[in-house]
């Protein structure tokens, strides 16, 4: 085999190895990725059922209801255009309150409700997660 063909073969093998490694990495990340949604992004026809997602928005005023068991919380997340009912069982962050930003990790149910496994509350008056800030600027209906 000529040296030119040998170099071409090695280059093609290197490209194939890099593409294969990239595809393996993407397939491994597919199961771990949590997509971000605002309440207005989800319709009954486009519910992402059976996969981990993040729901972000503001906790609607007057919507926090605590169940008798002491650890289950029902509340509503809004982005100004739509609302989504959320249920969370566990210890909520200290900064979790009405009219504050929240990102809930969990999954949607067929009825459109969201069951959260983790809650993330904003840190201070000015901070908003970058994902949530982008969605809130798109709606242009909520004032900070």
């Amino acid at each position: 085999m000529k040296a030119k063909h040998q170099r071409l073969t090695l280059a093609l093998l290197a490209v194939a190895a890099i593409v294969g490694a990239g595809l393996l990495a993407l397939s491994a990340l597919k199961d771990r990725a949590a997509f971000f949604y605002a309440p207005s992004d989800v319709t009954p026809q486009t519910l992402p059922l059976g996969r981990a997602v993040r729901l972000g928005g503001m906790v609607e005023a007057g919507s926090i209801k605590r169940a008798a068991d002491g650890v289950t919380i029902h509340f509503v997340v809004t982005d100004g255009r739509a609302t989504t009912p959320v249920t969370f069982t566990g210890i909520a962050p200290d900064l979790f309150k009405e009219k504050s930003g929240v990102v809930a990790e969990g999954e949607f149910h067929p009825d459109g409700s969201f069951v959260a496994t983790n809650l993330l509350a904003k840190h201070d008056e000015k901070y908003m997660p970058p994902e949530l800030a982008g969605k809130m600027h798109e709606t242009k209906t909520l004032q900070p």
Side-chain angles (χ1 to χ4, degrees):
M1 188 187 285
K2 293 183 182 179
K4 183 178 180 180
H5 292 315
Q6 210 171 21
R7 282 193 305 268
L8 182 61
T9 303
L10 287 174
L12 289 175
L13 285 174
V15 168
I18 290 171
V19 168
L23 290 174
L24 281 173
L26 287 176
S27 71
L29 287 176
K30 183 174 72 170
D31 294 334
R32 299 285 300 158
F35 296 98
F36 182 84
Y37 293 93
S40 60
D41 294 338
V42 182
T43 63
Q45 297 81 19
T46 63
L47 276 175
L49 299 174
R51 64 179 183 176
V53 295
R54 290 182 176 170
L55 175 70
M58 303 295 280
V59 179
E60 197 170 75
S63 70
I64 297 178
K65 308 283 188 258
R66 299 191 185 274
D69 64 6
V71 293
T72 302
I73 303 169
H74 302 279
F75 60 97
V76 176
V77 173
T78 184
D79 64 357
R81 291 191 289 176
T83 61
T84 301
V86 179
T87 301
F88 173 69
T89 301
I91 299 172
D94 291 337
L95 297 174
F96 175 75
K97 59 185 176 186
E98 295 174 351
K99 296 183 182 179
S100 68
V102 66
V103 175
E105 297 175 340
E107 62 182 37
F108 282 96
H109 281 200
D111 64 355
S113 65
F114 189 82
V115 176
T117 56
N118 190 23
L119 290 181
L120 306 169
K122 72 178 192 175
H123 293 268
D124 62 47
E125 294 301 317
K126 301 286 183 204
Y127 176 78
M128 191 170 289
E131 299 161 322
L132 179 59
K135 295 290 183 187
M136 297 304 280
H137 291 303
E138 287 175 10
T139 61
K140 295 182 183 179
T141 56
L142 290 180
Q143 300 296 323

